[in-house]
Amino acid sequence: MLRLEARATASPAMRYVSPLIAIVLTLVTGAALFALLGKDPGEGLRLFLLSPLKDLYGISELLLKATPLMLCALGLAIGFRANVWNIGAEGQFLLGAVGASGVALYFQDSDSALVLPAMVLAGAAAGAGWAAIPAWLRTRYEASEILVSLMLVYIAQLFVSWLVFGPWKDPQGFNFPQSAMFGDHALLPPLIEGTRLHVGLLFALSALVAGHVLMNRSYLGFRLQVAGEAPAAARYAGFSRARAVWIGLLAGGATAGLAGMGEVAGPLGQLTDKVGSGYGFAAIIVAFVGRLHAVGIALASLLMALLYIGGEQVQQYMNLPNSIALVFQGLLLFFLLGADVLIHYRLRLGRRTG
């Protein structure tokens, strides 16, 4: 009989092995799911995991999808380390897209080289500003940042819809809910000619390096980690809880806003009501699969991007709904939470003694 036995101390090895266990269990369950749907499991997994990587264009699409996930997950990880639970990165992503679009549309007739940097600043500031609402309510009124940041997602979605159906609707857009196309000066330049991959990937990689230094090599990162792992010790040492809340939420909002800017100034080239693709929610899974570490987040972002593109491949070639990608994401989170039990417990055979 299998039973769980508490470990004397948390297992450092299992912190890194449990995501691998979760990935394997997700693939096994996914294969069983294909079989239940009457599809070839081997073909399904091949389309999910290998087909997106068959050529340079496919790899560029993988990196394109991974870019906003890296940015959103990095900002969330900074907050999560301090026990600041920002669940609203999706809303901050949308506000970042709105802020950058506002600059692009206002300077639509300008060919200044300063437009793109202004969009970067506007996107990050808009995302951070949206995250400042739950930070202020948390520090001023002890309101749960989980609930507030989550509810603000739906307000952000309605705000974007109002803009593209109303004042920002392109009069030449055949009545589609979208803004006018941005000018060339407001688009991120491509990294590889002939693909959609843009320099936003360099922003994300630079942010990962900066995030790693902040979280692992700075006094501020140490204080945030202490605030998350030992709140009593943090209070005794004089570390401000309010400051940790502000830093955690503003960092998450700024990086999510930058990701939103990259989406409208990259593959979309305009603001639409479809700009939110669930990157903010998927980034929560990415942050935990990556163990709140910059390198882990980079690898988990690639995995999650593979699930996104694999879902599109399965839809196209196996006539299954694209939502199967969401099923795989849910399975990954479910098994990760289950495997994390092994960090504090070990499996034993036999009856409990004593």
Side-chain angles (χ1 to χ4, degrees):
M1 178 180 178
L2 276 176
R3 60 183 175 83
L4 290 173
E5 180 183 275
R7 299 179 188 272
T9 58
S11 168
M14 284 308 302
R15 283 181 54 82
Y16 298 98
V17 172
S18 61
L20 301 178
I21 295 174
I23 292 170
V24 171
L25 291 175
T26 298
L27 296 180
V28 171
T29 308
L33 182 62
F34 282 126
L36 287 173
L37 293 172
K39 306 296 182 183
D40 180 357
E43 179 66 8
L45 291 180
R46 186 190 71 79
L47 288 172
F48 241 108
L49 304 177
L50 299 180
S51 184
L53 307 175
K54 61 185 177 184
D55 53 27
L56 178 61
Y57 186 81
I59 294 173
S60 71
E61 286 293 296
L62 180 76
L63 295 173
L64 182 69
K65 284 279 186 189
T67 296
L69 292 169
M70 288 181 198
L71 285 168
C72 292
L74 175 66
L76 293 178
I78 294 172
F80 290 168
R81 281 195 168 208
N83 272 347
V84 178
W85 303 107
N86 176 13
I87 310 298
E90 182 73 8
Q92 294 140 26
F93 175 95
L94 292 173
L95 261 292
V98 168
S101 298
V103 173
L105 294 174
Y106 187 80
F107 293 103
Q108 196 164 21
D109 298 326
S110 170
D111 58 356
S112 171
L114 297 177
V115 172
L116 206 49
M119 291 174 65
V120 171
L121 293 176
W130 202 242
I133 298 173
W136 181 72
L137 292 174
R138 178 73 174 88
T139 53
R140 183 70 175 81
Y141 298 107
E142 289 292 328
S144 167
E145 73 272 20
I146 298 175
L147 294 177
V148 176
S149 61
L150 181 60
M151 288 190 291
L152 285 172
V153 172
Y154 304 105
I155 296 174
Q157 289 172 339
L158 292 173
F159 183 52
V160 170
S161 293
W162 174 73
L163 286 173
V164 297
F165 278 99
W168 285 4
K169 187 176 182 179
D170 181 10
Q172 309 298 323
F174 302 101
N175 210 32
F176 285 103
Q178 59 191 26
S179 73
M181 294 296 296
F182 300 166
D184 291 342
H185 58 281
L187 298 177
L188 291 168
L191 267 183
I192 303 175
E193 289 299 329
T195 70
R196 300 193 303 161
L197 184 62
H198 53 72
V199 298
L201 175 64
L202 301 183
F203 294 168
L205 295 176
S206 302
L208 284 176
V209 173
H212 173 72
V213 172
L214 172 67
M215 292 189 288
N216 302 98
R217 296 287 186 272
S218 72
Y219 181 53
L220 176 60
F222 171 73
R223 294 201 305 182
L224 291 174
Q225 188 169 358
V226 172
E229 295 181 358
R235 283 194 299 273
Y236 182 76
F239 298 164
S240 168
R241 177 61 184 163
R243 181 176 297 178
V245 170
W246 277 102
I247 292 173
L249 279 162
L250 292 183
T255 54
L258 185 58
M261 175 272 167
E263 200 67 6
V264 294
L268 294 181
Q270 61 184 160
L271 181 67
T272 79
D273 64 337
K274 307 297 183 190
V275 64
S277 301
Y279 290 128
F281 291 122
I284 298 172
I285 304 175
V286 170
F288 281 109
V289 172
R291 284 292 174 248
L292 308 183
H293 190 281
V295 175
I297 286 171
L299 297 175
S301 298
L302 294 173
L303 172 65
M304 190 60 70
L306 195 60
L307 296 184
Y308 268 109
I309 300 175
E312 296 169 0
Q313 296 274 318
V314 168
Q315 180 187 29
Q316 182 177 356
Y317 295 107
M318 300 187 81
N319 198 28
L320 289 175
N322 188 34
S323 55
I324 196 167
L326 299 178
V327 174
F328 271 73
Q329 292 178 19
L331 286 172
L332 183 59
L333 179 60
F334 174 79
F335 286 124
L336 179 67
L337 294 175
D340 275 356
V341 172
L342 299 177
I343 297 174
H344 299 284
Y345 295 86
R346 58 168 59 91
L347 287 174
R348 291 291 193 193
L349 274 174
R351 295 182 177 179
R352 186 188 300 273
T353 57

